[in-house]
Amino acid sequence: MDFRLTARQQELKGTARRLTDLITKYEDDCEENNGLPPQAHAAIRDAVLDCGLQAVNMPTEWGGAGLGIVEQAVVQEELGRLTGALWDMVWRPANALRVCTPQQRERFLMPVIRGERRDCYAVTEPEAGSDPQNLSTTATRTADGQWVLNGEKWFVTVGDHADFLIVLAAAGEERAPTLFLVDKDTPGVEMTRVPRFMHTFVYEHPEFTFTQVRVPDDAVLGGVGEGHELTRSWFTEERLMIAARTIGAAERALELARDWAVERRQFGSRIADFQLIQGMLADCAVDIAVNRAYTHQVAWEVSEGTADRKTLHAKAALAKLAASEASGRVVDRCLQIFGGRGYDRSYPVERLYRELRVDRIWEGTSEIQRLIVAGELVKRGTGVLQLPST
């Protein structure tokens, strides 16, 4: 087994780090103003396009970067170092948009790839969070072949900035889970509430209501009844990207804590010389190293197609669970090493502490990830834990 990055992966890592370093200068403004002004968005968009990391999950023939899953994980790990969730400004269109019809692609996906539009995914509801099958949002077929959407969606990340939504609804009398492409300015679409959450995020996570929202038949994405399957595929990849980003965030926190421990003096000595501090630094290094290795392994398995879909879904859940919880432990230790300064919002370690907490909740809570992994173990044995064979 060869765990070395290829020349191409190393090049991408360097490109992503340079982009990350450029975006880092916006961190303080984002924290102080709970977001960034339009000119900052434009400057970062241009920087993303200049370095070729736009839409890394979309094919080059459509204008995307066309990266494989391992390459995407390498890029996301570097971007995860950013606070204020500025990593989300390096846009990755929702995977479901890959199944756009040619007409939908021209209207929705291609402008997103070019940085001219932005999508957001509307799945969660007041009574359908961890259980997306318990949908209340409905899509009713009309006599003239259109659809009428009614319902409510919560936690629509980037919903304030996006100009169209991918809405999961129960379609027709069969209540078939279906995705719809809905322009945000469609009559009946209302952004009803923009909650203030624990973290600072360059975008918001607003709530939407859909009241008698009429969309044409060609607003269906991927076919009637395909909504859950497309969303599940999105979850598999997105959970891997969360694992990669949290590893990058944890590594930055450790770098900051290590440098602080070396420079900070108490009782006549560097605090890095104290064994309790050394123990925390070592535990952080362990959490980062083992989770990076496993995340890269699962990303490689997805790229190679070495296992069936259900096994890969469980392995992605395992990676997300392990990395997000380990990164939470890392940043907690690192904040402790900083002492009172670690509680100061002007320090990146404090921001990372707040921001990493949500990674144990969104795209499937840690409890749901445990159920996915346990379900695979109970039904099919320990294959989820095994390395693929040749």
Side-chain angles (χ1 to χ4, degrees), residues 8-23 44-60 63-68 70-80 82 86-93 112-115 118:
R8 170 61 173 156
Q9 291 164 355
Q10 193 64 51
E11 178 187 5
L12 285 167
K13 182 180 177 69
T15 300
R17 174 59 71 90
R18 289 189 292 274
L19 179 62
T20 296
D21 290 343
L22 183 151
I23 299 175
I44 293 173
R45 180 197 63 214
D46 291 346
V48 173
L49 292 169
D50 287 344
C51 73
L53 290 181
Q54 75 283 355
V56 294
N57 58 334
M58 293 295 162
T60 55
L67 303 189
V70 176
E71 294 170 332
Q72 290 182 47
V74 169
V75 169
Q76 291 297 312
E77 187 175 315
E78 293 300 321
L79 296 174
L82 292 162
L86 290 166
W87 48 264
D88 207 15
M89 300 187 77
V90 186
W91 59 94
R92 290 175 71 252
V112 172
I113 291 174
R114 294 192 296 264
R118 189 67 192 258

Side-chain angles (χ1 to χ4, degrees), residues 335 338-351 354:
L335 190 150
F338 270 86
R341 300 291 179 88
Y343 218 59
D344 182 337
R345 287 192 178 210
S346 64
Y347 283 73
V349 71
E350 186 277 340
R351 301 196 293 270
R354 281 184 287 122

Side-chain angles (χ1 to χ4, degrees), residues 35-36 73 85 124 154 170 198 225 246 251 254 285 288 316 333 338 379 381:
L36 294 175
T124 304
W154 286 11
M198 185 168 119
T246 57
E251 185 162 56
L254 177 56
I288 292 167
R333 298 185 196 109
F338 270 86
K379 293 175 185 176

Side-chain angles (χ1 to χ4, degrees), residues 161-209:
H161 191 80
D163 60 356
F164 73 93
L165 305 96
I166 303 169
V167 181
L168 181 64
E173 294 181 2
E174 300 80 9
R175 294 185 50 81
T178 304
L179 296 177
F180 292 86
L181 297 167
V182 182
D183 286 308
K184 201 163 73 173
D185 60 1
T186 304
V189 176
E190 183 181 359
M191 191 166 68
T192 52
R193 180 171 174 258
V194 182
R196 286 299 307 274
F197 289 102
M198 185 168 119
H199 61 212
T200 299
F201 202 102
V202 67
Y203 302 118
E204 301 286 1
H205 318 273
E207 298 170 6
F208 284 86
T209 57

Side-chain angles (χ1 to χ4, degrees), residues 15-258:
T15 300
R17 174 59 71 90
R18 289 189 292 274
L19 179 62
T20 296
D21 290 343
L22 183 151
I23 299 175
T24 298
K25 68 181 182 181
Y26 294 94
E27 286 185 337
D28 289 343
D29 286 346
C30 186
E31 173 63 29
E32 291 171 8
N33 300 300
N34 194 43
L36 294 175
Q39 58 268 31
H41 281 272
I44 293 173
R45 180 197 63 214
D46 291 346
V48 173
L49 292 169
D50 287 344
C51 73
L53 290 181
Q54 75 283 355
V56 294
N57 58 334
M58 293 295 162
T60 55
E61 58 265 32
W62 296 347
L67 303 189
I69 298 299
V70 176
E71 294 170 332
Q72 290 182 47
V74 169
V75 169
Q76 291 297 312
E77 187 175 315
E78 293 300 321
L79 296 174
R81 299 171 62 89
L82 292 162
T83 68
L86 290 166
W87 48 264
D88 207 15
M89 300 187 77
V90 186
W91 59 94
R92 290 175 71 252
N95 293 340
L97 292 174
R98 293 174 187 159
V99 302
C100 279
T101 64
Q103 293 76 21
Q104 290 172 335
R105 191 183 309 146
E106 288 297 321
R107 181 180 170 190
F108 294 100
L109 178 56
M110 301 292 276
V112 172
I113 291 174
R114 294 192 296 264
E116 299 165 359
R117 300 193 73 178
R118 189 67 192 258
D119 61 299
C120 60
Y121 219 124
V123 176
T124 304
E125 299 179 356
E127 303 301 326
S130 295
D131 179 15
Q133 298 186 36
N134 188 28
L135 285 174
S136 295
T137 299
T138 59
T140 304
R141 192 81 150 164
T142 64
D144 59 358
Q146 293 191 320
W147 295 91
V148 176
L149 274 60
N150 285 282
E152 183 177 5
K153 295 292 183 181
W154 286 11
F155 309 123
V156 184
T157 301
V158 196
D160 60 318
H161 191 80
D163 60 356
F164 73 93
L165 305 96
I166 303 169
V167 181
L168 181 64
E173 294 181 2
E174 300 80 9
R175 294 185 50 81
T178 304
L179 296 177
F180 292 86
L181 297 167
V182 182
D183 286 308
K184 201 163 73 173
D185 60 1
T186 304
V189 176
E190 183 181 359
M191 191 166 68
T192 52
R193 180 171 174 258
V194 182
R196 286 299 307 274
F197 289 102
M198 185 168 119
H199 61 212
T200 299
F201 202 102
V202 67
Y203 302 118
E204 301 286 1
H205 318 273
E207 298 170 6
F208 284 86
T209 57
F210 303 86
T211 306
Q212 295 296 108
V213 176
R214 296 179 68 90
V215 295
D217 190 49
D218 62 8
V220 173
L221 179 63
V224 174
E226 297 297 315
H228 278 157
E229 190 61 34
L230 289 170
T231 301
R232 186 180 295 112
S233 174
W234 171 68
F235 275 141
T236 297
E237 290 192 20
E238 192 56 33
R239 285 165 180 166
L240 274 176
M241 297 307 119
I242 288 172
R245 285 198 302 270
T246 57
I247 291 163
E251 185 162 56
R252 184 183 181 193
L254 177 56
E255 290 172 3
L256 293 168
R258 178 266 173 198

